[in-house]
Amino acid sequence: MSNVNISIQERTENFAIRVVKTYSELNKRDFDDAGKVVSKQFLRSGTSIGANCSEAKYAQSTKDFINKYSIALKEASETLYWIKIMIKSEIVSKSRFQNMIEENERIIKILTASINKLKEKQST
């Protein structure tokens, strides 16, 4: 399935669903406290991306819209961080998360481009 032409809202919603499913799979394993905390952080930040993009649809102004996308961007960056921590601490394998990393990086690029374009429009 190609998801090249889907909206950022749909893309981040799909990503959040993948995060929830992955978190559920991870929690079937017997983790120590650190593994539980790291996976929970992954869940929180990974689902927050889409929540902020969804909120942006009803922003009260362009400034509010940019703010929501900026928060989503920060959450996407944080999600990538937690994925890397899980890989480096050997909670998960990189191969298991490679597609999720690539999608997360696409989301970051889309959000960054959208924010920059909106800021340019605001300053003209």
Side-chain angles (χ1 to χ4, degrees), residues 34 37-39 41 78-92:
V37 169
V38 171
S39 64
Q41 289 295 117
E78 181 179 341
T79 301
L80 192 55
Y81 171 81
W82 291 120
I83 291 171
K84 288 178 180 179
I85 293 299
M86 288 191 294
I87 291 167
K88 289 179 179 180
S89 61
E90 299 178 350
I91 293 172
V92 298

Side-chain angles (χ1 to χ4, degrees), residues 53-98:
C53 287
S54 182
E55 283 185 44
K57 289 191 299 187
Y58 300 102
Q60 296 173 337
S61 64
T62 302
K63 183 179 178 182
D64 187 31
F65 189 93
I66 291 169
N67 184 51
K68 298 296 183 202
Y69 268 30
S70 295
I71 294 168
L73 177 59
K74 289 177 184 180
E75 294 293 338
S77 176
E78 181 179 341
T79 301
L80 192 55
Y81 171 81
W82 291 120
I83 291 171
K84 288 178 180 179
I85 293 299
M86 288 191 294
I87 291 167
K88 289 179 179 180
S89 61
E90 299 178 350
I91 293 172
V92 298
S93 68
K94 184 173 183 177
S95 62
R96 168 73 172 85
F97 273 75
Q98 191 58 45

Side-chain angles (χ1 to χ4, degrees), residues 28-42:
K28 290 177 184 174
R29 296 166 59 191
D30 190 26
F31 280 141
D32 60 11
D33 287 343
K36 289 177 185 174
V37 169
V38 171
S39 64
K40 180 78 79 166
Q41 289 295 117
F42 162 71

Side-chain angles (χ1 to χ4, degrees), residues 10-64:
E10 188 176 351
R11 183 179 293 274
T12 56
E13 182 180 306
N14 291 343
F15 185 79
I17 291 165
R18 287 178 66 189
V19 167
V20 169
K21 288 179 178 182
T22 302
Y23 175 77
S24 294
E25 285 178 33
L26 289 172
N27 277 304
K28 290 177 184 174
R29 296 166 59 191
D30 190 26
F31 280 141
D32 60 11
D33 287 343
K36 289 177 185 174
V37 169
V38 171
S39 64
K40 180 78 79 166
Q41 289 295 117
F42 162 71
L43 174 68
R44 288 181 178 147
S45 62
T47 55
S48 182
I49 304 164
N52 281 287
C53 287
S54 182
E55 283 185 44
K57 289 191 299 187
Y58 300 102
Q60 296 173 337
S61 64
T62 302
K63 183 179 178 182
D64 187 31

